[in-house]
Amino acid sequence: MNKVPKIKVFGVGGVGCYIIDKAIEREISTAEYFVVDDDYGRLQISKCKNKIQLVGGDHAGADYDYAQRTALANKSKIIDAIQGADMIVLIAGMGGGIGSAALPILAEVAKGNNTLCVAVICTPFSFEGEKRLNNAETGVKALRENANMTLVIPSENAISCLPDDAPKSDAIKLADEMVLDALKTIIVPITMPAIINLEYEDVVVAFKESKNTFFGMGIGKGKDKCIEAVRYAINCPMASTTIDYAKKILLYVEGGDDFTMDDMQEVATYVKAVADSKVDIFFAADVDSKLTGELKVSIIAVKNVGEGVQ
């Protein structure tokens, strides 16, 4: 590919719109952002300039079938928005109506256009109730039929990462941060200047088909920061699966002003040691002054369908 790839990121439903606003606030990437919802008020307060309102009558709420009909009725808007993209990234919280039901339709349109489609989603907490859990299960199943890569972040896992007396809002924030980190890991290495960038073609090879995807992030400090960061990333409690059976790994490393080539080599060596000996590693790295004295490792590991699926 001789041209700069066109990447569009769609935040769908309430959680998706929130994540897009946070990505814009933090200037995560030069990718083109869109927010998609049937809630006019939510769209109006979004910082995103590209707003797609799904019009179908009353607000869908957590009604999956109603939300699906609404999305299908507005399919022409979705087709127009995706047009011209080489790659789209879909962001949503599964469980509600629009996030769960509209996301698979965007993925279906992308598949029909031969557009690479990557989805990053979080699933509901158990306390949100059976209806939202069922919506999420239905939505994830439909999404996996059309998206090239589906990365699931179980919000429920956030509870075990926090003290027993922590407010539920902290768990919600942690799940949102994991979605943001995953989004950053996917798009920043191919859209922003860095020490070591990824080629878009590498991302296509890595993400072309992965229905079961591991994502982990870890931060290390001090003299053992490299192995500490890798260990935390590989054993990330927010992951929906394990790094086992990975065939391709996107490894994104960030360090402070003291970040060295030796650090990069050490991290890559550790990751290679715990992965399959034949795994393909796609490496990217950048400097963030706020991480001086620390090292941040983000790992996306993709698997062949049917291997290690949970």
Side-chain angles (χ1 to χ4, degrees), residues 7 9 18-33 89 91 176-194 197 252 254 286 288 290 296:
I7 300 172
V9 183
Y18 173 81
I19 295 296
I20 293 299
D21 279 351
K22 287 297 180 183
I24 291 171
E25 279 180 17
R26 300 180 190 185
E27 300 179 339
I28 283 181
S29 169
T30 56
E32 189 174 3
Y33 291 105
V89 183
I91 306 292
D176 290 342
E177 285 299 320
M178 286 298 293
V179 175
L180 278 163
D181 272 324
L183 173 63
K184 180 179 178 181
T185 303
I186 291 166
I187 64 175
V188 165
I190 53 176
T191 60
M192 303 290 280
N197 283 103
Y252 183 44
E254 300 169 89
D286 202 8
D288 182 345
K290 296 192 293 292
K296 181 177 179 180

Side-chain angles (χ1 to χ4, degrees), residues 150-168:
T150 303
L151 196 165
V152 179
I153 294 172
S155 297
E156 184 74 11
N157 289 8
I159 295 175
S160 63
C161 299
L162 300 169
D164 292 340
D165 58 349
K168 288 185 172 66

Side-chain angles (χ1 to χ4, degrees), residues 2-308:
N2 295 321
K3 65 185 180 69
V4 176
K6 181 70 172 177
I7 300 172
K8 297 182 179 182
V9 183
F10 293 84
V12 183
V15 172
C17 291
Y18 173 81
I19 295 296
I20 293 299
D21 279 351
K22 287 297 180 183
I24 291 171
E25 279 180 17
R26 300 180 190 185
E27 300 179 339
I28 283 181
S29 169
T30 56
E32 189 174 3
Y33 291 105
F34 294 77
V35 286
V36 183
D37 206 351
D38 65 340
D39 188 328
Y40 175 81
R42 183 182 290 143
L43 290 174
Q44 291 310 300
I45 63 174
S46 172
K47 298 177 175 64
C48 183
K49 65 179 181 179
N50 299 313
K51 308 175 195 291
I52 301 175
Q53 185 181 6
L54 304 180
V55 181
D58 295 331
H59 178 46
D63 189 327
Y64 185 96
D65 292 336
Y66 185 91
Q68 186 180 57
R69 291 195 298 272
T70 300
L72 287 170
N74 292 265
K75 194 171 181 178
S76 61
K77 295 180 182 179
I78 295 170
I79 292 171
D80 289 344
I82 291 176
Q83 194 70 31
D86 298 299
M87 170 182 172
I88 67 168
V89 183
L90 306 179
I91 306 292
M94 307 302 267
I98 293 298
S100 303
L103 221 65
I105 293 171
L106 271 82
E108 183 181 15
V109 171
K111 185 177 182 178
N113 287 353
N114 199 29
T115 300
L116 184 70
C117 177
V118 174
V120 181
I121 56 174
C122 55
T123 52
F125 294 94
S126 59
F127 62 73
E128 294 184 69
E130 186 176 353
K131 183 174 184 178
R132 295 182 70 89
L133 292 170
N134 288 339
N135 282 351
E137 183 178 355
T138 302
V140 171
K141 182 179 178 180
L143 181 61
R144 281 181 163 145
E145 291 176 359
N146 292 295
N148 296 96
M149 186 188 89
T150 303
L151 196 165
V152 179
I153 294 172
S155 297
E156 184 74 11
N157 289 8
I159 295 175
S160 63
C161 299
L162 300 169
D164 292 340
D165 58 349
K168 288 185 172 66
S169 58
D170 285 357
I172 294 170
K173 289 176 184 176
L174 179 56
D176 290 342
E177 285 299 320
M178 286 298 293
V179 175
L180 278 163
D181 272 324
L183 173 63
K184 180 179 178 181
T185 303
I186 291 166
I187 64 175
V188 165
I190 53 176
T191 60
M192 303 290 280
I195 298 174
I196 300 177
N197 283 103
L198 285 178
E199 296 293 333
Y200 172 70
E201 290 80 0
D202 291 338
V203 173
V204 173
V205 169
F207 295 164
K208 192 170 184 179
E209 186 171 1
S210 177
K211 309 302 182 185
N212 187 37
T213 310
F214 168 87
F215 174 66
M217 184 275 290
I219 295 177
K221 302 178 181 180
K223 63 182 181 64
D224 295 324
K225 60 185 177 182
C226 294
I227 191 169
E228 188 177 278
V230 172
R231 185 183 294 119
Y232 282 139
I234 289 172
N235 297 292
C236 182
M238 288 296 295
S240 62
T241 182
T242 68
I243 199 172
D244 299 338
Y245 304 103
K247 301 301 181 184
K248 298 177 179 65
I249 288 176
L250 192 161
L251 175 58
Y252 183 44
V253 186
E254 300 169 89
D257 296 328
D258 55 350
F259 192 22
T260 68
M261 293 296 292
D262 286 343
D263 292 334
M264 297 182 208
Q265 179 65 43
E266 193 172 350
V267 168
T269 300
Y270 288 142
V271 172
K272 188 82 172 180
V274 297
D276 188 295
S277 60
K278 297 180 180 178
V279 70
D280 292 326
I281 295 181
F282 302 91
F283 188 90
D286 202 8
V287 170
D288 182 345
S289 295
K290 296 192 293 292
L291 288 171
T292 298
E294 301 179 344
L295 200 73
K296 181 177 179 180
V297 171
S298 300
I299 298 172
I300 295 178
V302 301
K303 309 181 184 188
N304 289 343
V305 178
E307 292 188 319

